[in-house]
Amino acid sequence: MNSLKKSLLVAAMVVFGGTSMFAQTRELGPEWGENATQEERYQNALKFNFYRDAYNSQRYDDALGYLPDLIKNSPKGAQNIYVYAINIYKNKIQRSMDLNQRKNYVDSLIMLYDLREQNFGDDARYGRPYILVQKAKDYCSFMASDRDGVRTYFEEAIEANAAKPDPNFINLYFNELTTDYKNDLVETSYYMEKYEWLSELMDKTTDEAAKTTFDALFVSSGAANCENLEPIFRTRIAADPSAAVLAKAFNTLLKAECYTAFLTEVGEQYYAADPSAQTAQLVASAYVKMGDDANAVAFLKQAFAQATDPATKSMLAVEISGTELSMKNAAEAANYASQARQLNPENGYAYIMLAQSYAAGATACQGFDSQTVFWLAYDVLASGRKLFAEGSPEQKQIDETMAMFRRSFPSRDELFFRGLTSAGAPYDVKCGWITGRTTVKMVD
């Protein structure tokens, strides 16, 4: 065996990491030269070895000296032919201060990505989907001013990964697209078309944080208005009326403040598909925003009936109480406020709502009996006040309400006339549906 052949065998051994015996018995495949002889293939492998050594030593210009021959003679020899060159050109772009030179370097970078895709696009792990993502990210970093190019490369990469979408990469692109829309660089129709495409891909993922970010970007765009959203979601729901699609539609419409008949229509369908306490509460919130208290309280009661956690049920009862009170149903409001207090005695809002319900229901009787209701309501507020932090907004509200209630207490003359002359003496309130033990309170 001549000396050249021995050198080539050693080089092949280094490339493939085999033993000396393995290197001497194994022939190099066509990836190291399609129509080349074995000696030519060994020569190409040896050049790759020199190329790698120069790259690892950060002798980048020396490394690039081997690149043309490697691309010409063994383009499929190793994916690192392109990985190393891509990294070298990224380094050059970052260091260059000359705009024309940077542009040329970027062109070379993109060409290398294209060659990598052409020769290794079928790699199971680092194939076309992976390569296109890296290309899009680099182009966005180095050529951010080319908005058409940025969008093109991102969309190509997202399409290549459609079977297994990367939600964070989608958000990276959607942020760029949303910025372009805000800057009037793309039309509304184009933006909405891409939103619909991307949202369908997002539905395939389980990353809730990424989904929240995606929705927030859409809402921030200004394109998320009812006129644009309704036709999109009507079509999607007609094709797939699943709970997931209905949830997406309802939440998007709600965030976009589309308080229309379509919102409640979707809400009703959503609850039918997912009759949970959480869904009922969400649909109720839409009716509240639309001023439809009757439907709001109906869904809140559904949620209350299905909830199992006492603290959750207590807060739902407070919501129901407040809604019933807004509909002037003081007795029903008091009923749910009482339940809220029983479910969670530490829920200060339950006391506020119960006191407000008593005050509103004082019209259930007249005269002196009506006035004594405010003694009872005052006691309830005093108990609730202790459950809030000192100086909190809730305490301030309670103090103001208690002062207002005091102005409705019976006068001293009225108390004297009825023989109630001792402050603090026990007293049983009886005013229609409002009953309870309190104490005599004198007007200041």
Side-chain angles (χ1 to χ4, degrees):
M1 181 180 293
N2 61 41
S3 59
L4 175 61
K5 184 68 172 234
K6 289 181 180 179
S7 298
L8 293 172
L9 284 172
V10 171
M13 181 176 66
V14 172
V15 171
F16 292 101
T19 65
S20 178
M21 182 179 293
F22 175 80
Q24 292 175 5
T25 58
R26 177 175 176 177
E27 290 189 348
L28 297 180
E31 67 272 14
W32 289 102
E34 184 70 29
N35 299 311
T37 65
Q38 276 299 306
E39 289 197 9
E40 288 171 336
R41 290 175 181 175
Y42 287 134
Q43 184 64 39
N44 292 335
L46 181 61
K47 286 181 181 178
F48 173 76
N49 192 44
F50 293 151
Y51 171 59
R52 181 182 59 192
D53 288 346
Y55 171 79
N56 288 335
S57 301
Q58 297 186 10
R59 293 181 286 111
Y60 295 147
D61 288 337
D62 290 345
L64 290 179
Y66 296 102
L67 186 61
D69 282 347
L70 289 170
I71 290 176
K72 178 182 178 182
N73 299 321
S74 55
K76 296 181 181 291
Q79 188 159 185
N80 277 344
I81 291 173
Y82 308 99
V83 173
Y84 297 159
I86 285 170
N87 289 339
I88 290 171
Y89 273 101
K90 286 168 66 173
N91 180 272
K92 285 181 174 292
I93 294 167
Q94 290 167 346
R95 290 174 176 272
S96 177
M97 301 300 292
D98 184 284
L99 292 179
N100 289 328
Q101 186 182 57
R102 282 173 59 88
K103 174 68 166 58
N104 290 333
Y105 286 158
V106 171
D107 289 344
S108 297
L109 180 70
I110 297 303
M111 179 194 71
L112 287 163
Y113 270 119
D114 292 342
L115 288 170
R116 183 180 176 185
E117 178 192 352
Q118 177 184 327
N119 291 287
F120 290 93
D122 59 353
D123 186 90
R125 185 174 180 182
Y126 298 111
R128 184 172 183 269
Y130 175 86
I131 294 167
L132 292 180
V133 166
Q134 304 312 308
K135 181 170 74 169
K137 288 180 178 179
D138 284 347
Y139 196 80
C140 185
S141 294
F142 300 130
M143 289 293 290
S145 60
D146 180 13
R147 304 311 298 167
D148 289 341
V150 168
R151 293 193 300 274
T152 297
Y153 286 129
F154 266 103
E155 289 167 16
E156 184 181 24
I158 291 171
E159 186 63 49
N161 287 274
K164 191 176 181 181
D166 179 347
N168 293 316
F169 184 71
I170 289 175
N171 278 337
L172 189 62
Y173 166 61
F174 196 48
N175 183 50
E176 297 292 329
L177 180 62
T178 300
T179 299
D180 286 348
Y181 179 74
K182 289 179 178 179
N183 291 331
D184 297 324
L185 298 179
V186 296
E187 297 293 333
T188 300
S189 57
Y190 178 88
Y191 182 78
M192 294 303 298
E193 176 188 340
K194 298 305 176 184
Y195 163 74
E196 187 173 4
W197 169 53
L198 296 173
S199 63
E200 289 175 357
L201 293 176
M202 272 293 193
D203 288 343
K204 297 180 181 180
T205 74
T206 57
D207 190 333
E208 295 303 322
K211 289 180 178 181
T212 299
T213 299
F214 180 80
D215 291 340
L217 283 169
F218 181 53
V219 171
S220 74
S221 72
N225 58 57
C226 308
E227 183 180 354
N228 291 332
L229 291 174
E230 184 169 334
I232 287 177
F233 285 119
R234 277 198 182 279
T235 302
R236 292 187 67 184
I237 291 169
D240 179 15
S242 64
V245 172
L246 289 163
K248 173 74 172 180
F250 185 78
N251 282 299
T252 303
L253 291 165
L254 197 60
K255 288 177 183 176
E257 299 183 355
C258 291
Y259 303 132
T260 64
F262 182 60
L263 173 64
T264 55
E265 176 187 334
V266 173
E268 299 276 357
Q269 289 180 267
Y270 180 26
Y271 181 70
D274 177 22
S276 65
Q278 184 178 6
T279 302
Q281 190 173 5
L282 196 60
V283 175
S285 70
Y287 279 114
V288 168
K289 293 288 188 180
M290 297 177 69
D292 187 343
D293 290 335
N295 274 309
V297 81
F299 275 96
L300 284 171
K301 288 179 178 179
Q302 291 280 359
F304 178 79
Q306 295 178 68
T308 56
D309 175 61
T312 300
K313 285 182 74 76
S314 179
M315 286 308 299
L316 282 168
V318 166
E319 287 190 63
I320 294 170
S321 177
T323 309
E324 290 286 7
L325 197 56
S326 69
M327 294 190 294
K328 304 187 184 307
N329 297 329
E332 188 72 351
N335 173 34
Y336 276 93
S338 294
Q339 291 188 63
R341 188 171 62 169
Q342 291 167 8
L343 285 162
N344 180 14
E346 301 300 310
N347 184 352
Y349 299 101
Y351 294 79
I352 293 175
M353 291 312 307
L354 182 58
Q356 295 282 15
S357 300
Y358 283 159
T363 55
C365 57
Q366 297 179 350
F368 178 78
D369 288 339
S370 175
Q371 290 177 302
T372 62
V373 170
F374 289 92
W375 287 346
L376 188 60
Y378 188 92
D379 289 346
V380 173
L381 278 183
S383 297
R385 187 183 189 281
K386 303 171 186 176
L387 300 175
F388 295 101
E390 194 66 35
S392 65
E394 289 84 359
Q395 274 202 349
K396 182 179 179 181
Q397 177 195 346
I398 288 174
D399 290 342
E400 292 174 353
T401 306
M402 290 174 74
M404 181 179 68
F405 285 174
R406 281 195 294 271
R407 291 195 290 272
S408 297
F409 288 173
S411 67
R412 285 180 178 272
D413 289 345
E414 181 70 25
L415 293 175
F416 181 78
F417 177 75
R418 294 178 179 275
L420 301 172
T421 58
S422 299
Y427 185 86
D428 291 319
V429 174
K430 296 177 182 178
C431 176
W433 57 267
I434 304 173
T435 60
R437 170 150 289 206
T438 183
T439 59
V440 173
K441 297 172 179 61
M442 302 289 187
V443 177
D444 296 338

